[in-house]
Amino acid sequence: MKRENYNERETIEQLRDSRLRAAAFSAIVNRYSRQIYWHIRRMVLSHEDADDLTQETFIKAWNSIEKFRGDSQISTWLYRIAINETLTFLEKNRNNTISLNSPEGAIANSIESDAHFCGDRADALFHEAIGRLPHKQRTTFIMKYFDEMKYEEISQILGTSTGALKASYHIAVKKIEQFLKDND
């Protein structure tokens, strides 16, 4: 299936048919892999880690595809898996990644040296500011700012009230603005 021909309802029906399941899942991967990758990449900052976590997300989705009931959108389900995988990764690798307590600009330097990064110093500092946010604020900010999701959709994925998400986003924006002002 080509990306433009993707039909959510039809794909869910095909997932229920064991003969069509693999093709339907392939359509899901084609449809969502790029946005899941970029969501994860903004959380972990490293291409290699984001690539691995994207693969893990889809492996986990495939292994539990028969349990998907269609109560939510496929994208909501995938985001939930991706976020859980990413947070688990970040928690496990807390000591193996760049410390958020490192001097300001250290993460930006690391980001700029990544061969897969294609931005300028301002972009690197912006990503560093995001990377320094607590996980909940970072996740909320990424989903709202980059993924352009509505608070209601984020609420479904994270299981948090829209009011709490709005507050988290507002605080994240203020922290990012302050970080950028301090590093101007």
Side-chain angles (χ1 to χ4, degrees):
M1 263 188 213
K2 288 185 178 180
R3 189 175 185 146
E4 28 320 316
N5 295 335
Y6 180 83
N7 180 302
E8 179 98 0
R9 206 172 305 134
E10 184 179 299
T11 302
I12 291 171
E13 286 302 316
Q14 291 173 352
L15 289 173
R16 293 182 180 137
D17 183 337
S18 61
R19 295 170 295 148
L20 302 174
R21 188 173 295 133
F25 191 76
S26 178
I28 291 168
V29 171
N30 287 336
R31 171 76 175 175
Y32 295 109
S33 61
R34 183 171 169 83
Q35 73 188 73
I36 294 294
Y37 166 83
W38 280 107
H39 176 78
I40 293 170
R41 174 73 187 267
R42 291 178 184 111
M43 293 287 291
V44 299
L45 304 177
S46 156
H47 164 72
E48 289 78 16
D49 292 338
D51 200 34
D52 290 346
L53 287 165
T54 301
Q55 288 179 26
E56 287 300 317
T57 297
F58 284 103
I59 289 169
K60 190 164 263 187
W62 173 254
N63 289 336
S64 60
I65 198 72
E66 291 179 20
K67 297 174 190 171
F68 180 72
R69 298 183 314 263
D71 296 340
S72 65
Q73 291 183 346
I74 291 171
S75 61
T76 301
W77 180 61
L78 289 172
Y79 267 98
R80 197 173 296 138
I81 294 169
I83 289 165
N84 289 338
E85 288 294 308
T86 304
L87 293 177
T88 299
F89 170 83
L90 290 170
E91 198 58 39
K92 274 187 200 173
N93 294 296
R94 185 186 309 215
N95 298 327
N96 297 337
T97 58
I98 301 166
S99 170
L100 297 181
N101 297 323
S102 60
E104 292 184 352
I107 296 173
N109 291 337
S110 174
I111 292 168
E112 285 179 307
S113 67
D114 183 336
H116 298 279
F117 178 73
C118 54
D120 59 13
R121 180 71 178 168
D123 288 330
L125 284 170
F126 179 60
H127 287 289
E128 176 170 351
I130 294 167
R132 289 180 178 272
L133 294 171
H135 295 317
K136 182 179 177 182
Q137 289 173 8
R138 185 183 332 170
T139 302
T140 302
F141 182 83
I142 288 169
M143 295 174 92
K144 183 70 180 148
Y145 183 83
F146 290 108
D147 300 332
E148 298 178 348
M149 291 184 178
K150 294 181 174 16
Y151 286 113
E152 293 76 22
E153 188 177 1
I154 300 169
S155 174
Q156 266 192 322
I157 294 168
L158 299 180
T160 306
S161 73
T162 56
L165 291 170
K166 288 176 181 180
S168 186
Y169 182 78
H170 177 75
I171 293 167
V173 168
K174 292 297 177 193
K175 287 180 178 179
I176 291 168
E177 287 173 348
Q178 189 60 52
F179 181 85
L180 295 175
K181 185 192 259 185
D182 292 347
N183 286 279
D184 189 16

